[in-house]
Amino acid sequence: QVIKCKAAVMWEANKPFSIEEVEVAPPKAHEVRIKIVATGICRSDDHVITGGLVMPFPIILGHEAAGIVESVGQGVTSVKPGDKVIPLFVPQCGECNSCLSTKGNLCSKNDIGSATGSMPDGTTRFTCKGQAIHHFVGTSTFTEYTVVHESAVAKIDSAAPLEKVCLIGCGFSTGYGAAVQTAKVEPGSTCAVFGLGGVGLSVVMGCKAAGASRIIAIDINKDKFAKAKELGATECVNPKDFKKPIHEVLIEMTGHGVDYSFEVIGRTETMIAALACCQYNYGVSVIVGVPPAAQKITFDPMLLFTGRNWKGSVFGGWKSKDSVPKLVDDYMKKKFVLDPLITHTLPFTKINEGFDLLRTGK
């Protein structure tokens, strides 16, 4: 039956979240209703609020979470009530060309580009004050209960601490995978990471795990440097300390540019700087931050003509349903840490305070 619970509803852009009682419909065929236990706050959620990522309102945001299956619709075979799970904002249908290719992971059933704000059948499972509320990238985790399609949920180890592994639902996997999966960073290489939020720090961890010998961390907030070094950065650079463009600084530091660079902010000017700072002939630059809506990039095509590789990476290149349980297993085996990425733990009703902490770089 319908569940009534608390959710953080975003009624319109550039306003605070409103904690409301919502009605969550039961799962239809091939759908799963999940009790959300822990959810992370990600900059992509904030991009929707500010209009950088265009989505329909009113909406329940949130896409980085972990929870427990409450009920399942007809035909669901991969999870059952009581299972610990992570919702997947990049689904894995197993049938589209990206899912069938060994090279791709961005399932065509995703709702990132099209931004319908609905379930795959075109309807929503949330109602508030008699009004239908939109879903966010098929997950919507800023609510006590949510409904996702079976292709957008992964069953994980029943012993996993949900308040930690929720980060595998987005931030950690996105950053770590950009280094080890998308860029395929090699031992002994030199890397530059632009932006040291949770995802950027996860890129640093990925570069270190891949054996990079130099990892240059770049941010205009020097308070981020200590943690970056703790996680593997060998040097930290603040662009504000230099008169010249940051890509020139990095080329001077390395003599020829870096082997791999990562833009983990979502700004067009840093995307070009990251491309320009990598080695002119074989450097690889990866766009990890969500690009702002309606902005275009203008750059000198000679940057690419000489041989540089420019790539994008969504969810770290991982095939979600296959990889998330394995990443959780790796965490349980202590192959990587998540604790340093968690700065604050707040009750759900203080979600607006959480976003204030995000916006102030704390």
Side-chain angles (χ1 to χ4, degrees), residues 268-302:
T268 52
E269 52 271 48
T270 36
M271 288 172 188
I272 297 168
L275 179 67
C277 81
C278 70
Q279 205 274 353
Y280 73 95
N281 179 216
Y282 53 79
V284 175
S285 187
V286 183
I287 293 176
V288 188
V290 177
Q295 282 194 23
K296 300 286 181 271
I297 283 189
T298 308
F299 67 99
D300 179 353
M302 188 57 82

Side-chain angles (χ1 to χ4, degrees), residues 186 188-194 212-216 218 235 245-262 272-285 303 306 308-309:
E186 293 157 318
S189 58
T190 300
C191 302
V193 182
F194 288 73
S213 59
R214 277 182 89 179
I215 303 167
I216 306 168
I218 302 133
E235 299 140 273
I246 188 65
H247 73 273
E248 291 180 15
V249 174
L250 291 162
I251 289 168
E252 277 180 21
M253 282 173 72
T254 54
H256 49 69
V258 300
D259 299 305
Y260 301 96
S261 67
F262 302 86
I272 297 168
L275 179 67
C277 81
C278 70
Q279 205 274 353
Y280 73 95
N281 179 216
Y282 53 79
V284 175
S285 187
L303 285 171
T306 55
R308 284 183 183 88
N309 253 302

Side-chain angles (χ1 to χ4, degrees), residues 19 98 109 140 162 168 188 230 233 235 239 255 282 296 301 325 330:
I19 302 288
S98 289
K109 300 277 195 301
S140 289
L162 299 182
I168 292 172
E230 178 195 328
E235 299 140 273
Y282 53 79
K296 300 286 181 271
D330 284 350

Side-chain angles (χ1 to χ4, degrees), residues 94-335:
E95 291 158 10
C96 70
N97 53 5
S98 289
C99 282
L100 293 171
S101 165
T102 55
K103 299 178 199 167
N105 77 315
L106 188 54
C107 174
S108 67
K109 300 277 195 301
N110 81 78
D111 194 34
I112 299 165
S114 53
T116 60
S118 62
M119 293 294 285
D121 70 354
T123 61
T124 94
R125 302 290 167 271
F126 299 118
T127 317
C128 182
K129 299 176 178 170
Q131 193 175 346
I133 308 293
H134 292 96
H135 293 249
F136 178 50
V137 293
T139 49
S140 289
T141 63
F142 292 165
T143 167
E144 292 176 317
Y145 287 87
T146 192
V147 178
V148 303
H149 192 268
E150 187 181 13
S151 63
V153 62
K155 179 184 173 178
I156 60 166
D157 183 342
S158 61
L162 299 182
E163 73 285 359
K164 310 257 198 261
V165 298
C166 62
L167 296 180
I168 292 172
C170 176
F172 172 76
S173 308
T174 295
Y176 191 78
V180 302
Q181 283 269 114
T182 307
K184 298 192 167 45
V185 169
E186 293 157 318
S189 58
T190 300
C191 302
V193 182
F194 288 73
L196 302 174
V199 184
L201 291 171
S202 301
V203 175
V204 169
M205 289 159 74
C207 292
K208 185 182 180 186
S213 59
R214 277 182 89 179
I215 303 167
I216 306 168
I218 302 133
D219 202 298
I220 54 173
N221 177 355
K222 63 179 190 305
D223 297 344
K224 303 274 187 186
F225 292 168
K227 190 158 277 184
K229 287 197 162 156
E230 178 195 328
L231 292 173
T234 54
E235 299 140 273
C236 295
V237 178
N238 185 340
K240 288 181 168 173
D241 294 343
F242 300 90
K243 293 266 195 312
K244 62 178 72 161
I246 188 65
H247 73 273
E248 291 180 15
V249 174
L250 291 162
I251 289 168
E252 277 180 21
M253 282 173 72
T254 54
H256 49 69
V258 300
D259 299 305
Y260 301 96
S261 67
F262 302 86
E263 199 281 352
V264 205
I265 303 162
R267 293 176 66 98
T268 52
E269 52 271 48
T270 36
M271 288 172 188
I272 297 168
L275 179 67
C277 81
C278 70
Q279 205 274 353
Y280 73 95
N281 179 216
Y282 53 79
V284 175
S285 187
V286 183
I287 293 176
V288 188
V290 177
Q295 282 194 23
K296 300 286 181 271
I297 283 189
T298 308
F299 67 99
D300 179 353
M302 188 57 82
L303 285 171
L304 292 179
F305 173 74
T306 55
R308 284 183 183 88
N309 253 302
W310 209 0
K311 295 179 156 190
S313 178
V314 178
F315 194 58
W318 305 106
K319 285 192 187 288
S320 59
K321 219 169 154 79
D322 293 344
S323 304
V324 162
K326 292 186 183 130
L327 286 164
V328 170
D329 291 344
D330 284 350
Y331 170 72
M332 299 300 280
K333 290 174 188 153
K334 299 191 164 50
K335 288 191 181 171

